[in-house]
Amino acid sequence: MSEVQVVSFGCRLNAYEAEVITAKARAAGINNTIIVNTCAVTMEAERKNRQAIRRLARENPGAKLFVTGCASHLKPESYAALPGVSGVIANDAKLKIESYAPLAKREEDENFFAKDFEKKPRVYLQVQNGCDHRCTFCIIPFGRGASRSIPVGVIAARLRGLVAQGVNEVVFTGVDITSYGKDLPGTPSLGQMARRVLALVPELPRLRFSSLDPAVMDEDLWRLFAKEPRVMPHLHLSVQAGDDMILKRMKRRHARKDILKIAARAQALRPDVALGADLIAGFPTEDEAMFRNTFDLVEEAGLTWLHVFPYSPRPGTPAARMPQLDPKIRNARALQLRRAGEKAVQNLLHSMVGKMEEVLVEKNDGGKCLGRTRNYAEVAFTSNIPAGELAMVQINRVEGACLAALDEKTGLQAA
């Protein structure tokens, strides 16, 4: 290899940071280097980190290999000791050019934004980092630190630059974006920040938000969701469980009834909304009745796009010291939740047949297009519209977990 390769695991924020790391490392003039951006959210994530590092070292014996991210920040000696690893870069240093070129002139701009992203149809834009809360299952705050927010003006400037490059959809991401603004002058909320940024960048067609904490969705965010068509009818909620006792033991700040209220409010404001959710199956002490409350919540709240994780104990967290469930039970319950999610997706897709939908084309391979609707459903169709552009299509059938459509502009048949 001759240049920088960044391999990233885990959350959307890590995916965003991989772009920044790539830009910083290239700007520093580094080549023949692999940087692994690790995830610490579960023990399975750590296993995948280590497996990938060993494989990359084995397949690229002449390359330098550095490790960064949450997992290596928490266990630097362990990752530094892996065969082939040249060094570990601290999580709070991985976005700085001087981490890759110690002799380079220190940059004045340390606002976490890369100057040049590889053009993609959908871009994740970091607006916040860190977390001030201590959920009993989560190790991430120890790897990310306290909540820090990017100023509104900096976000708007970066967003304006992305739109100028042809980006039509942006996702605001972070570790806990609903905590946005508490550390900034005037303490602007997430909703206030998004409203100001959209006013400053009227040319942005589509905006989404990554995982939202149900306990602190501010009223400005709700007003924006209700009135701003550029905010997509798609909310992803950090639900984690649907049983109040489990939520209490997780040290979450919402109750089951709060999720039902949020779902009802979102559906009343935007009838075409699709709700996503993070869910943990098999949390310590979860009995069958508690699990059933979570399982039933999927249908009761109308949750569709599910991210399901079997509980994985993280050493150093309070939940790891609680009575644990058999891994077979955790995995079986996770499978049940995933199947409930698949059923919900089918219900959503069939409800969209016959409708006209705006689609962001994410891929065009010889005329065979794949893209996402405003509520995040995947659509396949045949068209000459290039990737990154918006298309209006007529949904005509469901094929598996995907919609098939007719391109209104060109009249080409579904893929």
Side-chain angles (χ1 to χ4, degrees):
M1 62 181 299
S2 59
E3 54 178 54
V4 177
Q5 176 187 357
V6 179
V7 180
S8 193
F9 294 90
C11 65
R12 290 168 180 164
L13 181 56
N14 260 19
Y16 163 81
E17 289 174 342
E19 300 278 1
V20 182
I21 292 168
T22 301
K24 297 290 186 182
R26 286 175 178 170
I30 287 178
N31 54 42
N32 196 33
T33 298
I34 301 169
I35 302 168
V36 180
N37 194 21
T38 62
C39 174
V41 69
T42 65
M43 292 301 290
E44 176 64 13
E46 283 226 47
R47 186 190 69 79
K48 290 181 178 178
N49 295 335
R50 295 173 186 275
Q51 182 183 59
I53 290 167
R54 292 188 179 96
R55 176 180 56 79
L56 289 165
R58 187 171 61 251
E59 294 176 354
N60 301 274
K64 297 183 289 291
L65 196 158
F66 290 92
V67 183
T68 188
C70 292
S72 63
H73 187 84
L74 294 167
K75 299 177 181 178
E77 297 87 359
S78 173
Y79 279 88
L82 290 175
V85 172
S86 303
V88 172
I89 301 168
N91 216 20
D92 56 359
K94 66 185 179 183
L95 304 180
K96 300 177 181 179
I97 193 171
E98 57 265 36
S99 298
Y100 306 100
L103 301 179
K105 181 180 177 182
R106 185 179 181 87
E107 286 192 331
E108 296 297 326
D109 178 12
E110 292 183 357
N111 59 30
F112 298 167
F113 293 130
K115 291 182 176 64
D116 296 298
F117 277 91
E118 178 185 350
K119 184 178 177 181
K120 295 182 177 179
R122 177 183 300 104
V123 170
Y124 293 99
L125 186 58
Q126 181 184 359
V127 300
Q128 179 272 345
N129 201 348
C131 184
D132 294 332
H133 310 299
R134 293 296 181 267
C135 297
T136 61
F137 57 83
C138 188
I139 198 74
I140 299 303
F142 300 99
R144 291 279 181 178
S147 180
R148 292 99 65 202
S149 308
I150 306 300
V152 174
V154 177
I155 296 171
R158 183 57 193 144
L159 195 60
R160 192 176 295 112
L162 289 171
V163 174
Q165 294 174 33
V167 173
N168 280 321
E169 182 174 307
V170 170
V171 184
F172 283 170
T173 191
V175 175
D176 179 24
I177 64 171
T178 40
S179 290
Y180 179 88
K182 292 181 180 179
D183 57 322
L184 295 178
T187 61
S189 68
L190 176 64
Q192 290 169 345
M193 178 273 284
R195 175 175 52 81
R196 293 177 193 174
V197 167
L198 285 172
L200 290 168
V201 192
E203 59 271 33
L204 175 70
R206 294 166 64 146
L207 176 67
R208 297 185 196 271
F209 300 94
S210 65
S211 193
L212 300 168
D213 186 339
V216 284
M217 290 178 63
D218 64 272
E219 287 302 312
D220 284 283
L221 183 62
W222 278 115
R223 281 191 286 272
L224 191 72
F225 179 73
K227 298 179 180 179
E228 175 55 76
R230 291 182 291 162
V231 173
M232 297 295 95
H234 167 220
L235 298 177
H236 192 86
L237 307 174
S238 180
V239 175
Q240 309 305 352
D243 179 82
D244 285 340
M245 181 56 71
I246 292 298
L247 287 167
K248 184 176 181 179
R249 289 169 181 167
M250 287 178 167
K251 209 173 179 180
R252 299 294 294 168
R253 296 174 297 155
H254 65 271
R256 189 180 201 275
K257 65 180 181 181
D258 298 323
I259 301 301
L260 293 171
K261 288 179 180 178
I262 287 171
R265 185 174 185 180
Q267 290 153 2
L269 293 174
R270 304 278 290 270
D272 58 340
V273 70
L275 299 173
D278 299 319
L279 294 173
I280 295 175
F283 187 79
T285 76
E286 179 187 78
D287 60 23
E288 189 61 39
M290 293 171 177
F291 169 69
R292 180 56 54 177
N293 283 335
T294 297
F295 182 87
D296 291 344
L297 183 68
V298 175
E299 182 174 353
E300 290 176 31
L303 305 178
T304 301
W305 309 116
L306 303 187
H307 291 172
V308 178
F309 305 91
Y311 171 75
S312 177
R314 305 297 289 128
T317 61
R321 299 189 294 271
M322 298 178 185
Q324 303 292 308
L325 272 63
D326 188 312
K328 292 181 180 178
I329 295 176
R330 299 178 212 160
N331 292 331
R333 290 178 179 174
L335 180 60
Q336 290 183 62
L337 286 174
R338 291 190 184 109
R339 286 176 175 168
E342 291 167 1
K343 178 181 177 182
V345 168
Q346 286 298 307
N347 290 339
L348 173 68
L349 297 183
H350 282 281
S351 74
M352 297 172 68
V353 173
K355 295 181 179 179
M356 294 297 303
E357 294 286 345
E358 180 189 78
V359 174
L360 175 69
V361 181
E362 298 181 3
K363 183 188 299 184
N364 186 330
D365 185 6
K368 293 184 177 180
C369 297
L370 277 176
R372 297 274 180 178
T373 63
R374 292 167 60 82
N375 60 10
Y376 210 61
E378 189 173 50
V379 183
F381 60 102
T382 301
S383 176
N384 56 14
I385 297 174
E389 298 298 313
L390 296 170
M392 288 301 298
V393 301
Q394 172 84 39
I395 306 299
N396 59 9
R397 65 181 183 275
V398 177
E399 292 186 350
C402 186
L403 293 167
L406 178 72
D407 174 15
E408 182 189 48
K409 183 176 180 180
T410 63
L412 297 174
Q413 294 297 315

